Amino acid sequence: MLSRLLKEHQAKQSERKELQDRRRREAIAAATSLTEALVDHLNVGVAQAYVNQRKLDHEVKTLQIQAAQFAKQTGQWISMVENFNQALKEIGDVENWARSIEMDMRTIATALEYVHKGQLQPSTS
């Protein structure tokens, strides 16, 4: 009887040990699945952040290139406007010079007319 109780006890312990091993394997599998799911979820976020960062870097480089081109073009426009203003000033200077010469010529022409009229009047009398 004692040996039968011992065998039953050993059989129950063996069953409990197998049950415990099976539950431990299931718990390990579940923990592994959970860990993989969490890591995959985090990796998706990290991967998206990396893709976004690469896009931002590309956009920044493009923006820097465009800003440099715009600055160069703006410098050219400023230079053209300054040259245009200088040309307008020169035209204004030429216009003033032409007016000055025109007034001088009128003064000379008027003086010559007076002289010519003055010479003609004594010879007719």
Side-chain angles (χ1 to χ4, degrees), residues 26-119:
E26 289 174 357
I28 290 172
T32 302
S33 295
L34 175 64
T35 303
E36 287 176 358
L38 289 173
V39 168
D40 287 345
H41 179 69
L42 289 176
N43 282 342
V44 167
V46 169
Q48 186 63 42
Y50 178 73
V51 168
N52 289 344
Q53 183 63 40
R54 287 190 58 193
K55 286 179 183 178
L56 285 173
D57 289 343
H58 177 70
E59 291 295 323
V60 165
K61 287 179 185 177
T62 302
L63 184 61
Q64 286 175 337
I65 290 170
Q66 290 176 348
Q69 289 173 345
F70 181 70
K72 181 179 177 183
Q73 188 176 25
T74 303
Q76 290 172 344
W77 289 345
I78 289 171
S79 176
M80 288 173 51
V81 167
E82 287 175 354
N83 290 340
F84 181 70
N85 282 340
Q86 185 62 33
L88 285 177
K89 286 179 185 177
E90 290 174 4
I91 288 173
D93 291 345
V94 169
E95 186 178 350
N96 286 337
W97 175 76
R99 282 187 195 146
S100 175
I101 288 179
E102 182 180 4
M103 288 181 66
D104 289 347
M105 295 305 275
R106 283 186 183 165
T107 303
I108 292 171
T110 304
L112 287 174
E113 278 182 39
Y114 286 130
V115 168
H116 182 63
K117 284 182 184 178
Q119 287 179 356

